């Protein structure tokens, strides 16, 4: 009963902040990039809150439960991708657009902007769906809602909140949500009982996670932090490049110890509860059966905060990018209205995907694989100053994305090789059309 009251108050608070931001949205700059006025605290909080979604927290612990200490690579790869982004920050100073496809369009032409917009907006439905799945799992524990009811309720909350305030409300709440996230995870770690960990070798490369798996994780996961629409949407909100750089460094310094903390929780879960089924979340099981009730409740709300902060960012990213396919720019009041409609549509599609799929990490990695195979290489080379003939860029995007999708869906034991091949074909196709 108490949990239901806290849950209702939490959602009411989130919607109240969204409504307050709704009244302050005056221009497209306010709605899409918070008027480029975010400080270090706000950009850092928003970056971390976006990174630490259901896949990074629930998925990290679940991965560790299966593959041991190698599960630490998920967040370490995220930190590595952010570090690789640092040298590129100065190159964004003269860019006045709102998102990654606009940046790609400035490098490779209008057709590339439209194609990349379509790929990102569709792929990101899977990422939003992953957050809704995570929210549904947590709400099912806190309240007496069924999985379907939790999916529907959390999805509707995400949609309404994002529609109201756009980037203004996201930037405001991400910092608050980050406090919940860090408190929940750290308290969970501190309140774990002593347990013999010697049964799990301290090996980050093992028979369940090979060097090849790590290479693929860097290609498909780290790369989305080096060249990622959600990450860039955070950085475009910063007042200047110095603030963006400081925010990245602070974020990395927090992600690295968090990688150890979450992995340690997963190792404990594997030792204490070795017979969990594939549908059970190790982290949520530990919270329910090991932690004091007050600590577990704090963890639940921390996880819910992590999920909301990622879901609203991804939902706004996909909807605004999709809207720009038709409006060709976002600097009008009409674009704000159309984006709000797109948020509702993409939110509904994400709810349907969440009802169909049940595995958070698989949903996320499928979306990221298609995106990374298609767009990472063209975007990175464009930022570095390389230019290619338009038809070769379009071919590279289509081939790379299609091969990556094939590898993820039908690859089986050869999935990793197919994903690497997607990057190779993408790069070769581009180089064949390089302009002198």
């Amino acid at each position: 009963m108490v949990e239901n009251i806290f849950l209702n108050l939490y959602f009411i608070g989130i919607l109240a902040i969204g409504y307050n931001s709704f009244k302050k949205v005056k221009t497209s700059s306010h709605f899409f990039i918070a008027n480029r006025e975010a400080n270090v605290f706000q950009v850092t909080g928003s970056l971390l809150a976006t990174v630490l979604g259901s896949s990074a927290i629930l998925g990290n612990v679940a991965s560790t439960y299966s593959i041991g200490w190698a599960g630490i690579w998920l967040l370490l790869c995220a930190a590595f991708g952010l570090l690789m982004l640092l040298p590129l920050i100065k190159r964004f100073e003269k860019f006045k657009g709102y998102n990654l496809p606009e940046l790609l369009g400035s490098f490779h032409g209008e057709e590339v902007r439209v194609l990349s917009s379509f790929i990102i907006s569709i792929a990101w439905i899977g990422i939003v769906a992953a957050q809704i799945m995570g929210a549904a799992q947590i709400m099912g524990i806190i309240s007496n809602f069924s999985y379907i009811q939790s999916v529907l309720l959390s999805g509707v909350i995400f949609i309404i909140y994002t529609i109201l305030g756009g980037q203004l409300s996201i930037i405001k709440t991400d910092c608050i949500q980050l406090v919940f996230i860090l408190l929940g995870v750290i308290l969970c770690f501190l309140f774990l009982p002593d347990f013999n960990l010697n049964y799990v070798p301290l090996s980050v490369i093992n028979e369940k996670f090979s060097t090849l798996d790590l290479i693929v994780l860097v290609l498909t996961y780290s790369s989305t932090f080096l060249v990622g629409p959600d990450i860039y949407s955070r950085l475009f909100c910063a007042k200047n490049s110095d603030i963006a750089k400081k925010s990245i460094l602070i974020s990395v310094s927090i992600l690295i110890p968090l990688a150890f903390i979450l992995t340690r929780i997963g190792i404990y879960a594997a030792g204490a509860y070795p017979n969990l089924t594939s549908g059970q979340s190790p982290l949520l099981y530990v919270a329910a059966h090991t932690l004091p009730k007050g600590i577990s409740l704090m963890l639940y709300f921390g996880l819910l905060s992590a999920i909301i902060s990622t879901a609203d960012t991804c939902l706004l990213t996909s909807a605004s990018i999709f809207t720009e396919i038709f409006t060709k720019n976002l600097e009008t009041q009409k674009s704000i209205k159309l984006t709000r409609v797109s948020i509702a549509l993409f939110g509904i599609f994400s709810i349907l995907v969440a009802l169909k799929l049940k595995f958070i990490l698989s949903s996320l990695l499928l979306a990221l694989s298609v995106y990374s195979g298609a767009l990472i290489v063209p975007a990175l080379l464009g930022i570095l100053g390389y230019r290619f003939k338009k038809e070769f860029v379009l071919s590279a995007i289509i081939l790379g994305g299609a091969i990556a999708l094939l590898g993820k869906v039908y690859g089986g034991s050869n999935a990793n090789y197919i994903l690497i091949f997607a990057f190779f074909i993408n790069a070769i196709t581009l180089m064949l059309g390089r302009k002198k």
Side-chain angles (χ1 to χ4, degrees), residues 127-369:
I127 299 177
V128 177
Q131 310 313 312
I132 294 175
M133 289 181 229
Q137 288 185 14
I138 296 164
M139 288 173 63
I141 296 172
I142 297 176
S143 67
N144 54 1
F145 292 129
S146 68
Y147 178 78
I148 293 176
Q149 290 172 327
S150 298
V151 165
L152 294 174
L153 179 58
S154 60
V156 169
I157 294 290
F158 295 161
I159 291 169
I160 295 174
Y161 167 70
T162 310
I163 284 174
L164 286 174
Q167 204 69 258
L168 271 181
S169 58
I170 292 171
I171 285 288
K172 285 181 181 178
T173 54
D174 275 356
C175 296
I176 300 171
Q177 288 165 336
L178 180 63
V179 174
F180 278 100
I181 295 167
L182 295 179
L183 269 177
V185 172
I186 292 172
L187 286 174
C188 174
F189 174 73
L190 293 176
F191 276 83
L192 285 180
D194 292 331
F195 193 84
N196 181 14
L197 302 178
N198 292 331
Y199 73 97
V200 180
L202 187 59
S203 175
V204 293
I205 298 294
N206 53 49
E207 68 278 1
K208 294 182 179 179
F209 190 86
S210 65
T211 302
L212 181 61
D213 291 320
L214 177 58
I215 292 171
V216 171
L217 191 63
V218 170
L219 286 175
T220 60
Y221 193 63
S222 296
S223 60
T224 62
F225 295 90
L226 173 62
V227 183
D230 297 319
I231 300 301
Y232 283 20
S233 71
R234 309 298 90 212
L235 300 179
F236 291 160
C237 294
K239 289 181 181 179
N240 54 55
S241 59
D242 288 337
I243 285 176
K245 284 183 177 181
K246 290 176 183 177
S247 300
I248 288 174
L249 287 172
I250 296 171
S251 298
V252 169
S253 68
I254 294 174
L255 284 174
I256 292 173
L258 267 183
F260 170 80
I261 288 172
L262 289 170
T263 304
R264 170 67 175 77
I265 294 171
I267 293 296
Y268 170 81
Y273 308 105
N275 299 316
L276 298 183
T277 64
S278 59
Q280 292 177 292
S281 166
L283 179 56
L284 297 181
Y285 198 89
V286 166
H289 295 85
T290 302
L291 300 178
K293 188 171 182 179
I295 302 301
S296 63
L297 191 61
M298 177 63 74
L299 177 63
Y300 295 147
F301 279 98
L303 292 171
L304 202 55
S305 297
I307 289 163
I308 290 174
S309 62
T310 301
D312 54 25
T313 298
C314 294
L315 194 51
L316 179 60
T317 296
S318 60
S320 61
I321 287 174
F322 185 75
T323 297
E324 198 176 21
I325 295 175
F326 305 100
T327 63
K328 297 187 178 180
N329 75 78
L330 296 175
E331 297 180 1
T332 63
Q333 288 296 319
K334 180 183 177 182
S335 293
I336 297 177
K337 293 177 182 178
L338 289 177
T339 299
R340 283 176 165 146
V341 173
S342 297
I343 288 169
L345 292 175
F346 277 79
I348 292 169
F349 279 120
S350 299
I351 289 172
L352 294 175
V353 173
L355 290 172
K356 182 68 176 177
L357 298 177
K358 295 294 177 69
F359 298 103
I360 294 171
L361 202 57
S362 61
S363 171
L364 176 100
L365 292 179
L366 175 62
L368 292 184
S369 295

Side-chain angles (χ1 to χ4, degrees), residues 1 3-13 145 153 301:
M1 184 65 180
E3 290 87 346
N4 282 336
I5 293 173
F6 277 119
L7 185 63
N8 291 331
L9 290 174
Y10 182 83
F11 282 144
I12 290 170
F145 292 129
L153 179 58
F301 279 98

Side-chain angles (χ1 to χ4, degrees), residues 210 212-213 216 366 403-420:
S210 65
L212 181 61
D213 291 320
V216 171
L366 175 62
I403 294 171
L405 177 61
L406 178 68
K408 202 65 187 174
V409 177
Y410 299 108
S413 60
N414 295 316
N416 286 340
Y417 296 103
I418 296 174
L419 286 170
I420 293 173

